[in-house]
Amino acid sequence: IQSQVKQAKRFYGNRNLEDCENLLLEILENSRENAEALRLLVRIYFERNDFVKICQYIDRYITERPEDSEMIY
């Protein structure tokens, strides 16, 4: 899972958001509790202004990391 998260970060850094999104969704399908993957997925949806999808994943993230005030904001 960690190697997949690193690959997703590389996709994100290269602005390959579609591949990044697909990989993150795959990670979350196999590992329901992966805050790092959730955070990156929410960032992608934020950049796309896809607020419906943000809402789907932000609750999961906040449940795992309630101390992350930046993400809550």
Side-chain angles (χ1 to χ4, degrees), residues 39-66:
R39 189 177 215 285
L40 190 52
L41 188 61
V42 169
R43 284 181 146 206
I44 289 171
Y45 293 145
F46 183 77
E47 289 181 22
R48 292 181 181 166
N49 294 318
D50 191 338
F51 300 109
V52 172
K53 287 188 179 177
I54 289 172
C55 291
Q56 289 176 324
Y57 293 97
I58 194 71
D59 285 338
R60 283 174 57 185
Y61 181 81
I62 292 171
T63 299
E64 288 184 40
R65 296 274 172 92

Side-chain angles (χ1 to χ4, degrees), residues 1-10 27 34 36-37:
I1 298 289
Q2 283 306 106
S3 64
Q4 288 179 306
V5 171
K6 286 180 184 178
Q7 179 63 42
K9 287 180 177 181
R10 282 191 289 273
I27 291 167
N34 190 310
E36 210 172 359

Side-chain angles (χ1 to χ4, degrees), residues 9-46:
K9 287 180 177 181
R10 282 191 289 273
F11 284 148
Y12 185 80
N14 293 331
R15 307 308 299 159
N16 188 346
L17 299 184
E18 186 174 333
D19 286 340
C20 184
E21 176 187 11
N22 292 333
L23 183 55
L24 291 169
L25 290 171
E26 181 182 322
I27 291 167
L28 293 171
E29 192 174 297
N30 296 322
S31 174
R32 301 267 315 149
E33 295 182 10
N34 190 310
E36 210 172 359
L38 281 168
R39 189 177 215 285
L40 190 52
L41 188 61
V42 169
R43 284 181 146 206
I44 289 171
Y45 293 145
F46 183 77

